[in-house]
């Protein structure tokens, strides 16, 4: 599959979850009004924050909401509860799937493929688990995926644990799966540099989706 699509990269860096969420909503609305607008690829990192998908149950939170002083948002993405923090690359593709393939399962598998191919470049072997969304190493998840698609315009995306403090995940049952853990790239190679990972991620995304990125 070859596309002549060009995606605009925005390597935003550190931004609050709320601001990034509102920005995505703005970009989606603009593209619903004008489908000829270019696609976007947003790369961000978030300060510590918990997010819940549409069908998330509060039973997967291990803390009492009444005494919780951190940030937590219920969003329109699919999937269960997850945690974002510094050292984790969060990728928000704003794509018009009319120009690719109007198939959500295809899109989810493509996002997983980006992570799998990226990790392979670091000699980290990862894989899918049938029936579960995301990317795994052994019994541990290294990348969580949760998307929202409105009239085939995508938002939300995936989070890849590069060199982050995983302790925040201990306060939740990540993605609602009891018998699994979370991991990060620096567990397998302590010399991994997050700036380089972002560069390789963009290149891999372009390759997997057969597009150009500017």
């Amino acid at each position: 599959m070859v596309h002549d699509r060009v995606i605009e990269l925005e390597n935003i860096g550190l931004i609050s979850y709320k601001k990034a969420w509102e920005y995505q909503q703005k970009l989606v609305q603009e593209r619903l009004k004008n489908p000829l607008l270019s696609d976007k690829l947003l790369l961000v990192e978030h300060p510590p924050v918990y997010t819940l998908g549409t069908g998330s149950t509060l039973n997967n939170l291990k803390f009492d909401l009444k005494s919780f002083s951190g940030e937590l948002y219920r969003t329109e993405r699919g999937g269960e509860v997850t945690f974002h923090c510094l050292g984790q690359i969060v990728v928000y593709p704003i794509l018009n799937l009319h120009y690719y393939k109007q198939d959500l399962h295809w899109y989810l598998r493509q996002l997983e493929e980006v992570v799998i191919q990226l990790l392979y470049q670091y000699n980290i072997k990862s894989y899918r688990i049938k029936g579960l969304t995301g990317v795994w190493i052994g019994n541990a998840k290294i990348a969580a995926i949760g998307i929202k698609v409105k009239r085939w315009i995508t938002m939300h995306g995936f989070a890849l644990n590069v060199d982050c403090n995983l302790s925040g995940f201990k306060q939740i049952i990540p993605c609602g799966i009891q018998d699994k853990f979370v991991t990060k790239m620096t567990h397998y190679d302590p010399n991994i540099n997050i700036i380089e990972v972002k560069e390789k991620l963009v290149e891999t995304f372009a390759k997997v989706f057969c597009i150009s990125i500017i």
Side-chain angles (χ1 to χ4, degrees), residues 112-120 123-129 135-138 140 142-143:
E112 290 167 347
E113 188 62 26
V114 170
V115 176
I116 289 168
Q117 289 193 21
L118 170 70
L119 293 174
Y120 184 77
N123 297 313
I124 301 172
K125 190 175 180 185
S126 60
Y127 54 88
R128 300 173 179 87
I129 294 179
V135 178
W136 306 80
I137 299 171
I142 193 162

Side-chain angles (χ1 to χ4, degrees), residues 65-79:
L65 272 178
K66 290 175 186 171
S67 58
F68 178 65
S69 60
E71 283 199 83
L72 184 146
Y73 296 97
R74 184 177 285 282
T75 77
E76 68 274 74
R77 67 164 172 80

